[in-house]
Amino acid sequence: MSSSNTGQSAGQLETRGIEPVPEGECNGHPQQLFWVWFAANISILGLPLGATLVAFRGLAIWQAIIVAILGAAGSFAVVGIISIAGCRGRAPSLTLSRAIFGVRGNIGPTLVSLMSRLGWETVNTTTAAFVLLSLCSILFGSPVEAKSAPLLTLVFIAIFVLLTLSVSGLGHATLLLIQRWATYVFGALNILVGGFLCATIDWSAVFNATPAPLSAMIIGIGTMAAGTGIGWANAGADMSRYQHRSVKAVRLVASAAFGAGIPLVLLITLGGLLSVGNHDLASATDPIVAIRDMLPTWMAVPYLITAFGGLLLSNNLSVYSAGLTTLTLGLKVKRVYAVVLDIIAIFAGSIYFMLIAESFYGPFITFISLLAVPITAWVGIFVVDLIHRHYYSPKDLLDVSPSSAYWYRGGVEWRAFGAWALAIVLGFSFTTIGTTEQDVWFRGFLSDSWLGHNGLGWIVTFLVAGGIYWVLGGAKDRRTALIEPAHA
């Protein structure tokens, strides 16, 4: 089947790496991006997010819906804003970031983004393998544990990463096609499972719930944003670089906000409904099992298939983006080989955490959640820069020598890099790092403030990074300033 967005077809190998896309191949439209973001967010793991709003923040369900709209859909509007840069510069997000931070200064944000991508992909992979083990337990009538069945565990990890490789490796055109049609299948399964979960809701408790104060809603918005759109922000331009030049910026923002927002708002709302009067889902160490236990046994099989599919659709997009980020670090290989390297890394990580390590989710998710602070700082600077930058020099984006317009001083744009570093330091000052209240690794000196106590340090990070960069004047590209800007 042909894809309307590139000179290639779905099923053909995308040979382009991080080099800007020629205008003749930029025929994409925002509806394609709508399905990409929709598919990446139909995972049933969105339910625990909504559960925390009700169980831990005490929100009434109408408050949870407002928080989901502002936090989840709103944060994906930021992803859409970064997509504008992809339409202007025709290159992946972290490649365009060279124009802001300098070809050397950009190494820091790129490394952080890659670690975050690989981290969440490992979470997806291990969770998917646990899903398949749980499915075997149902089908065979006895529990199947990872460490008691190492060969089966290896097979399940391999199945998931190979399925991911088959889509992410082939590239953009295949990704667009698979994400769209798989959305129909797994979206329908989500509706089916969600309908059965609705039967467990205590509706009288829902309608009688007491609203929480406004402060709890503000905290909830921050929690939802940090757990959804902020983590995807650095992938925005990766998908939009094939969009047609005539596409309006507002449509790019809408495609991300609505594409991700619709499934997230529905799933977060359902998670909140399930938690009224029952906090098991919000406090569960394994939300897959917690949700499975709410369903009749015969319904658990389609539920687990749904969970597996949602994780796979999210991983497809994440691994594709990680491959481009790997190339931005300077690795001189073809794009598909960069994807293979990322797949090998998450395969090895999943084996370690499932078969060797004593615990996984707590320490590991804590570590990769920490990366949200430098990523948020990068987003703040990138968005501010986008306000005045309408052109990215294709030649200079790929030139990592002192002759590049983006070399600045010693390869670093110090206003951007300095703002990024200062915002990270301040962000961690509001942060408490640990797996539990008892197991604290680090506590920032402002962590007991209202912002720190409620996990809103990332908002300070965003505002400080963008604010300092704005005050310092931003990275004006003098060599390309007179070239006619794009229309997006």
Side-chain angles (χ1 to χ4, degrees), residues 234-372:
N234 50 24
D238 299 358
M239 299 309 302
S240 65
R241 60 199 175 118
Y242 283 98
Q243 292 288 293
H244 194 274
R245 180 66 66 186
S246 64
V247 170
K248 301 297 184 183
V250 66
R251 295 190 64 196
L252 292 174
V253 175
S255 66
F258 286 98
I262 291 172
L264 281 173
V265 169
L266 292 175
L267 288 167
I268 290 170
T269 300
L270 179 57
L273 289 169
L274 293 171
S275 290
V276 176
N278 181 0
H279 297 176
D280 292 344
L281 177 57
S283 59
T285 56
D286 186 346
I288 291 287
V289 173
I291 299 169
R292 185 194 68 188
D293 291 343
M294 297 179 184
L295 295 165
T297 303
W298 64 271
M299 192 61 199
V301 172
Y303 157 69
L304 292 171
I305 294 173
T306 303
F308 182 87
L311 291 164
L312 182 60
L313 294 178
S314 178
N315 226 43
N316 288 342
L317 181 57
S318 185
V319 170
Y320 176 77
S321 179
L324 298 173
T325 304
T326 300
L327 293 178
T328 301
L329 283 174
L331 193 65
K332 302 298 183 181
V333 298
K334 293 182 178 180
R335 184 199 60 82
V336 67
Y337 296 147
V339 170
V340 171
L341 287 175
D342 293 330
I343 286 289
I344 291 172
I346 62 177
F347 185 79
S350 300
I351 291 174
Y352 174 78
F353 287 114
M354 293 191 74
L355 298 179
I356 300 173
E358 292 300 320
S359 62
F360 165 58
Y361 283 106
F364 196 55
I365 292 180
T366 296
F367 168 70
I368 55 181
S369 295
L370 289 178
L371 299 179

